[in-house]
Amino acid sequence: MTLVLTAHGSADLRSAANARAVARRVARMRPEVDVRVAFCEHNSPGLVEVLNGCPGAVVVTPLLLADAYHARVDIPGQIASCVASHRVCQADVLGEDDRLVAVLRQRVTELGVSLLDDTLGVLVVAIGSSNAVANAHTAEVAPRLLTGTRWTAATTAFATRPEPSLAESVKGLRRRGARRVVIAPWFLAPGRVPDRVQRFARGAGIAMAAPLGAHRLVAETVLDRFDQAAAQRVAA
């Protein structure tokens, strides 16, 4: 069975490089699985191209955090248009998995932040979606990030949505007692939107953590989604 790790794609080459790094880690962790990379747009190879070249059963495993447009509309549409769509199934997105929240917490501590710092407020910044349900799920990350810490508060802002703005969210954390604020980006990879958030952080004098990247727990979550989809296919 083939695992096609499918990323959104970006004009920023760092994003595609991260997708390929995740795929390499997944392949090392599961050498018996044929792991391939595909992109919905911007980068090559495209998803349909990859699917048309895959023999046997395929699980399209989205390298996406939110269950929004690309997972619900774009990827299913591209699967339907490939020549062997009957051999293809789609796994769930990575979502707000506890392992990914743990990686985000680690990224914050890599800034030199102590888990016991009770003066700290954390602003989780995500891409944002026109899907309100997807945004509501993403907003669950911030309170879960506080688990095992003494951080004062955490809240979520969406980089591509008008409200609340990043500046308003920082003010909100300070009103809740945070004397120091850091940004925890709920992004898998560097890119144009994370760069925009970084520019805000620099202008506001706020430290910003690294994205989730190709961490082992990201690859582990990918394999978990793949296994779930593969098992359901076999059971059907």
Side-chain angles (χ1 to χ4, degrees):
M1 188 172 288
T2 301
L3 187 164
V4 177
L5 185 68
T6 306
H8 174 279
S10 170
D12 190 311
L13 297 181
R14 294 172 297 170
S15 179
N18 184 74
R20 294 188 176 96
V22 173
R24 288 193 297 271
R25 185 179 281 272
V26 168
R28 288 195 300 270
M29 293 170 69
R30 195 74 62 84
E32 71 276 14
V33 174
D34 180 9
V35 179
R36 306 187 186 195
V37 178
F39 299 93
C40 292
E41 57 188 32
H42 295 299
N43 305 109
S44 295
L47 178 56
V48 174
E49 176 188 348
V50 172
L51 292 178
N52 285 342
C54 287
V58 180
V59 177
V60 172
T61 309
L63 187 61
L64 300 171
L65 294 173
D67 187 17
Y69 173 80
H70 289 287
R72 290 176 173 267
V73 179
D74 193 7
I75 290 176
Q78 294 197 41
I79 290 173
S81 69
C82 76
V83 295
S85 58
H86 61 285
R87 294 192 279 105
V88 181
C89 66
Q90 180 178 337
D92 290 337
V93 298
L94 304 185
E96 302 75 40
D97 192 282
D98 285 341
R99 288 165 290 200
L100 303 185
V101 176
V103 176
L104 188 64
R105 192 180 300 115
Q106 177 184 324
R107 295 299 188 224
V108 173
T109 63
E110 287 168 356
L111 295 173
V113 171
S114 168
L115 295 175
L116 302 180
D117 185 353
D118 59 5
T119 71
L120 187 76
V122 183
L123 176 58
V124 177
V125 181
I127 189 73
S129 169
S130 59
N131 185 316
V133 174
N135 288 341
H137 284 301
T138 300
E140 296 172 5
V141 171
R144 288 165 57 185
L145 187 64
L146 298 177
T147 301
T149 79
R150 295 178 65 181
W151 299 340
T152 299
T155 193
T156 303
F158 297 100
T160 59
R161 307 300 296 170
E163 295 179 356
S165 71
L166 302 186
E168 289 168 345
S169 298
V170 170
K171 290 177 182 177
L173 286 168
R174 297 195 189 283
R175 285 195 295 269
R176 292 166 64 182
R179 296 201 294 275
R180 177 187 178 195
V181 175
V182 298
I183 291 179
W186 187 241
F187 296 105
L188 285 163
R192 293 184 174 184
V193 176
D195 282 354
R196 190 198 317 159
V197 178
Q198 181 68 72
R199 287 193 294 272
F200 165 81
R202 283 197 298 266
I206 296 172
M208 177 170 161
L212 303 181
H215 193 282
R216 176 185 58 83
L217 292 179
V218 173
E220 189 176 296
T221 307
V222 167
L223 282 169
D224 185 63
R225 300 297 180 267
F226 168 77
D227 288 340
Q228 290 172 359
Q232 290 171 2
R233 183 180 183 89
V234 170

